């Protein structure tokens, strides 16, 4: 599965602007209830969990609309403060490090590059790599019919994240030196226009952006996650201090995500167009069919197990070997066993 919602990635700048506006939220995440700066209400503290707004699709969007997430968190003395739109993991990681955000979703690939900095967060869930919703996208009519045809071409990727990983992994599997393909570093939300204008020959991308391109009938994957052999898990991260102070809230959030991601997988359509079926955040027509298919074949939010950690380590070694990170990141040091939290 990709990030928790089918359309999790949104504009990072908007997200950070909204995060910065949360100046009334205290460092420990306590809400200001009834004018009490410690969030005291009825003798008990209500803890605010700062989470990027999920937009119009996915488990959190539906939970926001129907009140089920509020109910689940209220049971452990917490409530949500939505902090703008979800975006790429790198700025979200920076926001957690700066105590402006408590929860975020991202890929293991972008997670590793963020951990190579000065991390103030840990991962507490794992969702299996997307078998069909990520890959190397080419335009219809392209003469690129295999990964080997990428030699000498330009491929758009997001630096250090899913896109760069997918391209490097595909090339390595095909036995092609990485320097035989030109990587064009672009922000994902700026790449569609460049791709459709023919300024790059392919785009290494995930479902958040691939659905619209494939749904338009103008593009297709020349290699998907299965063909590439991707280990690109989707993960949920929590600010380290928040996890130490409020483990019961992290556990409650995990329980909610686990249960409802399983329901989403069974009935993907029920988690699309949650607030509106029109406008730029809605998905309709062929694109909706594509998204439903991707979600149905994706994974669910689960605890991080030993087999997951082994695959995380494989990605960390690969990134070090490919010089994406200067050294191998010790990802195991930044993982939580959510089943032991209480």
């Amino acid at each position: 599965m990709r990030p928790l919602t089918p359309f999790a990635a949104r504009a990072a700048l908007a997200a950070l602007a909204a995060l910065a506006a949360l100046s009334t939220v205290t460092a420990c995440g306590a809400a200001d209830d009834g004018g009490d700066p410690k969030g005291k209400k009825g003798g008990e503290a209500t803890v605010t969990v700062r989470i990027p707004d999920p937009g119009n699709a996915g488990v959190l969007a539906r939970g926001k609309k129907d009140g089920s997430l509020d109910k689940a968190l209220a049971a452990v003395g917490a409530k949500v403060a939505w902090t703008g739109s979800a975006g790429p993991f790198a700025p979200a990681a920076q926001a957690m490090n700066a105590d402006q955000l408590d929860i975020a979703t991202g890929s293991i690939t972008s997670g590793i590059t963020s951990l190579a900095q000065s991390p103030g967060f840990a991962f507490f869930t794992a969702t299996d790599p997307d078998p069909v919703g990520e890959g190397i996208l080419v335009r219809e009519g392209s003469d690129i019919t295999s990964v080997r045809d990428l030699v000498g071409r330009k491929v758009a990727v997001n630096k250090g994240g899913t896109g760069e990983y997918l391209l490097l992994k595909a090339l390595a599997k095909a036995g092609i030196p990485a320097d035989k393909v030109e990587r064009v570093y672009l922000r994902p939300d700026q790449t569609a226009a460049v791709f459709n204008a023919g300024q790059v020959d392919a785009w290494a991308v995930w479902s958040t952006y691939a659905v619209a391109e494939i749904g338009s009938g103008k593009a297709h994957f020349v290699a998907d996650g299965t063909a590439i052999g991707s280990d690109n898990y989707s993960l949920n991260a929590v600010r380290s201090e928040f996890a130490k102070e409020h483990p019961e809230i992290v556990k409650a959030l995990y329980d909610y995500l686990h249960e409802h991601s399983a329901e989403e997988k069974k009935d993907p359509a029920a988690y699309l167009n949650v607030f509106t079926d029109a406008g730029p955040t809605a998905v309709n027509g062929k694109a909706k069919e594509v998204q439903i298919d991707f979600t149905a074949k994706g994974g669910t939010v689960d605890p991080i197990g030993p087999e997951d950690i082994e695959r995380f380590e494989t990605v960390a070694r690969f990134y070090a070997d490919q010089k994406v990170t200067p050294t191998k990141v010790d990802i195991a040091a930044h993982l939580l066993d959510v089943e032991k939290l209480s």
Side-chain angles (χ1 to χ4, degrees):
M1 166 176 162
R2 306 301 314 150
L4 284 176
T5 67
F7 294 92
R10 294 291 186 267
L13 292 178
L16 290 178
L19 290 170
L22 292 172
S23 57
T24 59
V25 181
T26 66
C28 66
D32 184 0
D33 283 326
D36 190 325
K38 294 185 179 181
K40 296 290 185 180
K41 186 175 183 179
E44 296 183 1
T46 299
V47 179
T48 297
V49 188
R50 297 166 294 182
I51 305 175
D53 191 283
N56 194 34
V59 167
L60 290 180
R62 185 163 171 174
K64 178 184 178 183
K65 183 177 182 180
D66 66 18
S68 59
L69 180 62
D70 287 337
K71 183 177 180 180
L73 290 179
V76 288
K79 67 178 183 179
V80 175
W82 301 109
T83 60
S85 298
F89 185 72
Q94 293 172 1
M96 284 188 286
N97 291 345
D99 189 18
Q100 296 173 330
L101 184 65
D102 298 311
I103 302 291
T105 303
S107 64
I108 184 62
T109 47
S110 57
I112 286 172
T113 52
S114 294
L115 286 174
Q117 311 299 317
S118 298
F121 61 90
F123 295 109
F124 66 100
T125 75
T127 302
D128 286 345
D130 191 340
V132 296
E134 64 179 11
I136 311 297
L137 199 68
V138 298
R139 293 180 296 278
E140 291 296 335
S142 171
D143 61 354
I144 299 173
T145 61
S146 71
V147 172
R148 298 204 66 81
D149 293 332
L150 295 174
V151 172
R153 306 299 185 99
K154 295 180 179 180
V155 181
V157 302
N158 60 312
K159 187 175 179 63
T162 291
E164 187 163 28
Y165 168 78
L166 291 172
L167 175 60
L168 292 173
K169 183 74 173 177
L171 295 178
K173 186 173 181 180
I176 301 170
D179 61 4
K180 296 296 183 182
V181 176
E182 182 179 347
R183 279 168 270 177
V184 179
Y185 294 117
L186 294 169
R187 274 177 37 187
D189 60 347
Q190 297 177 334
T191 306
V194 175
F195 174 72
N196 287 306
Q199 294 175 291
V200 293
D201 301 294
W203 182 6
V205 67
W206 59 101
S207 63
T208 301
Y209 303 97
V211 165
E213 302 303 320
I214 296 172
S216 71
K218 297 179 181 179
H220 64 274
F221 282 134
V222 71
D224 62 14
T226 297
I228 291 170
S230 172
D231 283 318
N232 188 38
Y233 280 76
S234 174
L235 309 177
N236 279 294
V238 59
R239 185 169 59 85
S240 298
E241 286 303 310
F242 186 93
K244 290 178 183 177
E245 295 168 0
H246 308 293
E248 73 289 351
I249 297 176
V250 179
K251 178 61 163 59
L253 183 58
Y254 161 74
D255 289 339
Y256 183 87
L257 296 173
H258 175 70
E259 176 185 350
H260 292 275
S261 67
E263 293 177 1
E264 181 186 29
K265 182 178 172 66
K266 292 177 182 178
D267 186 13
Y271 291 79
L272 293 175
N273 301 336
V274 173
F275 291 97
T276 179
D277 58 5
T281 64
V283 55
N284 292 296
K286 181 63 177 179
K288 185 175 182 179
E289 295 176 17
V290 172
Q291 183 62 68
I292 288 172
D293 179 62
F294 284 176
T295 303
K297 293 176 180 176
T300 58
V301 176
D302 296 314
I304 299 171
E307 69 286 353
D308 303 316
I309 298 174
E310 184 176 342
R311 293 175 73 179
F312 296 171
E313 294 287 355
T314 297
V315 177
R317 284 192 297 272
F318 181 75
Y319 259 24
D321 291 343
Q322 295 288 330
K323 310 302 182 185
V324 177
T325 56
T327 59
K328 179 182 173 296
V329 172
D330 181 13
I331 190 165
H334 303 279
L335 303 176
L336 297 178
D337 185 344
V338 72
E339 295 182 305
K340 293 182 179 179
L341 299 180
S342 61

